[in-house]
Amino acid sequence: MLTVREVADKLDANPGTVRMWCINKTFANAVQEETLRGPVWLIPESDLKDFEKRGRGRPPKSASTNGTKKVSKK
C-alpha cells in the first residue's frame, strides 16, 4: 500500500490531485484510514499498473467528428 505522497511522486502529480482521484474512485481499491493526525488514503500499488495520467486541459476533439455537430431532424 502506498500513501498519497508516494503515488504523487511515482506519477509526477500533485498530492491534492491524487487525493481527488481517490475520492472519485479512479483508484478502485484505495481505502481511507483514520489516524491520530486525520484520515489517510492508502492506494495499492497494483492500482497504478495500468494507470495513465491524463494531460492538462480539455481532451482533444475526436477526428471522426471533425468539430461539427450532427443535428437530428424530427
Side-chain angles (χ1 to χ4, degrees), residues 6-24:
E6 291 169 332
V7 172
D9 289 342
K10 282 182 176 269
L11 298 177
D12 191 30
N14 185 300
T17 301
V18 175
R19 272 187 221 92
M20 190 57 59
W21 290 336
C22 292
I23 292 167
N24 293 335

Side-chain angles (χ1 to χ4, degrees), residues 29-65:
N29 301 308
V31 293
Q32 190 176 33
E33 291 190 0
E34 281 295 325
T35 67
L36 294 174
R37 299 184 77 184
V40 174
W41 283 99
L42 297 173
I43 303 114
E45 198 161 356
S46 61
D47 280 7
L48 304 181
K49 185 178 179 185
D50 295 325
F51 180 79
E52 289 186 31
K53 189 169 92 170
R54 200 184 105 196
R56 293 182 67 181
R58 179 179 288 202
K61 293 180 181 179
S62 65
S64 63
T65 61

